[in-house]
Amino acid sequence: MEPAKNYPGITSPISLEGPKPVDLKLSEKLEEAMRPHGVFESEEEMSHRMDVLHKINTLVREWIKDVSRQKNNYPEDKIDAFGGKVCTFGSYRLGVHTKGADIDTLCVAPRHVDRSDFFSSFFEILKNTPEVKDLRAVEEAFVPVIKMTFDGIELDMLFARLALPQIPEEIDLRDESLLKNLNEKCVRSLNGCRVTDEILHLVPNQHSFRMTLRAIKLWAKKKGIYSNALGFLGGVSWAMLVARVCQLYPNAAPATLLHKFFMIIHKWNWPQPVLLKALVHENKFNLSFPVWDPRVNTSDRFHLMPIITPAYPQQNSTFNVTLSTRSIMTEELKDGLEIVSKIYEGREEWGALFEPSNFFQKYKHYIVLTASAVEEKDYLEWHGYVESKIRLLVGNLERNPCIKLAHVHPSPLGPLNESDGEYLCRWFIGLTFVKIENQNQNVDLTFDIQSFTNTVHKHAYHINLMKDGMKVEIKHVKRRQLDLYVPPKILLQSKRAAVAQEHRSSIGSASKSESNQTLHHSRSDTELVRSNSMSVDLSEEISQDAESSRDSVKSGSELSSTSKEAINGDVVSGSPVPTDSVMQSPNSKREASPAGSESPVKRSRSQDDQSAVESPMNVDEITPLKEEDGSEEKEEERQEPESEDKEEKPIVNQHVKRLPSADVPDLMSPQTNQNLPVQVMSNKNIRLKLK
């Protein structure tokens, strides 16, 4: 009798069934559907990447030799033995990188080479290398990095100094003993390689894992939910979700894994964590690095969508996720499940899963955040800095009692015409407002936006990043005004995606009974998941909470500024996410959240929804905003004349007295550092009246 095979994971697999002919055929079609999107590189492109890595590895080894000669006067016969190595991690190491993607690298050096050497002498070597372009160092980052373009390939290089006299060529970075006597920056730098290698070690079939992950990454990017910095999931988080599904179905084909992925992750009982292996608090090397555990660490209890890295010290890779981004991702997972279910039923093709998002048709109101600079070098630094702070603006908007959802599009757009300037990019945030029946609403976003701009500029001065010509501007626009900022091609794609989604919804409602059968099949799988001690609890209550209500997009709506249907035919996006009682605490330690007892208590979503049942929200009036051409926005909706003496009680200014975040106490408060030359939007009030 053959011994039972041990499968990786914290639970046993749900099914050991192998692929059927239909699964293999759908997997082949899946690969064919992904090829036009540039997810596979040619042999020539792969060879070029290998050549670039070989060159950068040679530079590192020669640099370590030079440092050894200058600092310690080692004899020449010993210098060659010190070694040094460039390791890869991220999508390239996982084998799922796409055409033109960057490569995440780690410079591993022996103990006599310091981090200061890396950011000084090695940086100078790179500066004098002809193949290197767009070179910049971010030494103050949480994980310090050097960014560059090496012979056309973008590289991000971290640095880790090991407590070893020599670096072996075949070193295994998964060995926990390497973490002994290391500082936190080196441990964080090593974590990328350690996590990537551990993921590959924990999946039962790497080929099926890679093909499924390629599909999920492409889908997430098309739907605009691929960005760790902006509160969505990054590459490593999506990889761990796919790896967990592969553990539950170790013998399944990629098409089957993709179907199971949407089934399980869509109904996951957040904030229950996703784990690839059990949490480890103690080890034989007596390392004392903090490990994610809400039972021990109070701050971990406020994480909304925890996905835990498998390498020690285990951490949450999704601490930037907010209520809005979790709601948006849940909605997209629900739509993905519907599409893949139809593909298995023969009623849809794989191309439907990779259609672009209808983001620019989904909302009536948008916030446009523009970052610009005069010089190219300044622009590269400013762009990355502003992008890292956008989640603060989303957090400000989320805490506004009138805003139900703030959806930031992770892909910025460049200048639309020459008058915009060469070094400029724009991010777009779609807004959905809380509906209140038979009540006029004054929505004042001025404080939320001005506090963000104050924070961005003051912190830039604080870290000596601010240069002349660096600007950040924020405007409110309606959907019909997007043609002033968004290329017509992207607007057309968004409109087509909205029409296609409406068409699928109409077909889905006509075949409701068939969908119920698919959901019944989904429950049979989730019951097996629930039977495991450490797996998810997929109760009916969570299933109902995860359902979202979305208005259909009118297919005849136009994007021109004179089209009334483009304003009224709006889609209310997002799903009502159940708010845990711990998340309602005003002392939440999520970054940029208000702290202290003086913070206002926001009304619960359930109360707002009950008071706003079937109450249409029409935009009646907006305080005129000067556009670039100097003209005021034309109002086309039906408006009632309003007397000048009539007073309306604003319902959003009550949160102005909230305390600043405890994370950045000297930067969030508008009252601090008043003498700094900070650009503010004092003359650009953003007020909306909702009826």
Side-chain angles (χ1 to χ4, degrees), residues 511-561:
S511 56
K512 188 175 181 180
S513 59
E514 296 180 2
S515 299
N516 289 336
Q517 294 178 1
T518 304
L519 291 176
H520 177 73
H521 177 60
S522 172
R523 289 193 185 97
S524 64
D525 279 335
T526 57
E527 287 295 331
L528 290 173
V529 179
R530 184 169 51 188
S531 65
N532 295 288
S533 59
M534 288 293 293
S535 56
V536 298
D537 179 14
L538 304 171
S539 62
E540 278 300 313
E541 180 180 357
I542 297 300
S543 174
Q544 294 173 3
D545 286 338
E547 294 296 325
S548 64
S549 59
R550 175 179 295 186
D551 298 335
S552 61
V553 178
K554 296 185 178 180
S555 59
S557 61
E558 297 294 333
L559 292 173
S560 64
S561 61

Side-chain angles (χ1 to χ4, degrees), residues 83-102:
K85 187 178 182 181
V86 173
C87 302
T88 61
F89 62 99
S91 60
Y92 181 81
R93 178 70 180 91
L94 289 173
V96 295
H97 60 283
T98 59
K99 289 184 178 181
D102 64 348

Side-chain angles (χ1 to χ4, degrees), residues 5 7-8 200-206 243 246-251:
K5 183 178 179 180
Y7 290 93
L200 290 175
H201 179 72
L202 291 172
V203 294
N205 187 321
Q206 292 188 8
C246 290
Q247 290 178 344
L248 297 175
Y249 301 90
N251 300 323

Side-chain angles (χ1 to χ4, degrees), residues 249-463:
Y249 301 90
N251 300 323
T256 305
L257 291 172
L258 199 58
H259 193 196
K260 303 300 183 183
F261 175 89
F262 288 109
M263 280 185 177
I264 293 175
I265 306 303
H266 162 55
K267 292 183 177 295
W268 194 271
N269 186 18
W270 305 110
Q272 186 165 341
V274 174
L275 296 167
L276 297 182
K277 60 188 294 187
L279 293 173
V280 177
H281 294 275
E282 299 179 357
N283 52 73
K284 59 183 178 180
F285 303 106
N286 295 322
L287 302 175
S288 58
F289 296 107
V291 175
W292 185 90
D293 191 342
R295 298 169 298 182
V296 178
N297 308 315
T298 305
S299 60
D300 294 342
R301 301 172 189 173
F302 298 91
H303 294 171
L304 301 178
M305 203 172 179
I307 302 174
I308 311 305
T309 57
Y312 179 86
Q314 294 166 298
Q315 300 294 324
N316 177 25
S317 65
T318 61
F319 56 86
N320 287 337
V321 171
T322 67
L323 287 171
S324 287
T325 54
R326 187 178 70 173
S327 173
I328 294 162
M329 288 186 285
T330 301
E331 180 68 18
E332 292 295 346
L333 288 166
K334 173 178 174 291
D335 293 342
L337 174 60
E338 293 178 356
I339 293 174
V340 177
S341 298
K342 291 179 180 178
I343 292 173
Y344 259 87
E345 296 167 4
R347 297 189 290 140
E348 196 62 87
E349 298 294 332
W350 284 115
L353 186 65
F354 306 124
E355 289 179 353
S357 169
N358 63 338
F359 175 81
F360 294 106
Q361 278 284 297
K362 185 178 289 188
Y363 305 100
K364 287 183 180 179
H365 300 278
Y366 294 84
I367 296 295
V368 182
L369 189 156
T370 304
S372 60
V374 177
E375 302 293 335
E376 181 180 7
K377 180 180 179 182
D378 296 341
Y379 170 73
L380 292 174
E381 295 180 351
W382 189 237
H383 175 280
Y385 170 76
V386 174
E387 183 179 37
S388 68
K389 300 297 181 184
I390 291 179
R391 70 177 188 271
L392 300 180
L393 175 59
V394 175
N396 289 349
L397 296 172
E398 281 186 335
R399 290 190 294 273
N400 191 308
C402 286
I403 293 180
K404 181 179 181 181
L405 187 83
H407 180 184
V408 57
H409 195 275
S411 300
L413 301 180
L416 191 61
N417 47 56
E418 295 181 357
S419 62
D420 289 339
E422 184 178 0
Y423 305 115
L424 173 147
C425 63
R426 294 188 177 100
W427 289 270
F428 295 82
I429 303 175
L431 300 178
T432 298
F433 295 96
V434 175
K435 303 176 184 180
I436 300 180
E437 186 176 5
N438 299 327
Q439 181 177 344
N440 293 338
Q441 297 174 253
N442 288 337
V443 182
D444 189 352
L445 305 181
T446 305
F447 174 82
D448 303 315
I449 290 173
Q450 187 164 342
S451 62
F452 168 76
T453 56
N454 287 344
T455 300
V456 168
H457 285 94
K458 290 177 181 178
H459 190 241
Y461 280 109
H462 181 73
I463 63 176

Side-chain angles (χ1 to χ4, degrees), residues 613-625:
V613 174
E614 299 184 6
S615 60
M617 186 198 316
N618 297 321
V619 178
D620 282 341
E621 180 180 346
I622 295 180
T623 302
L625 297 177

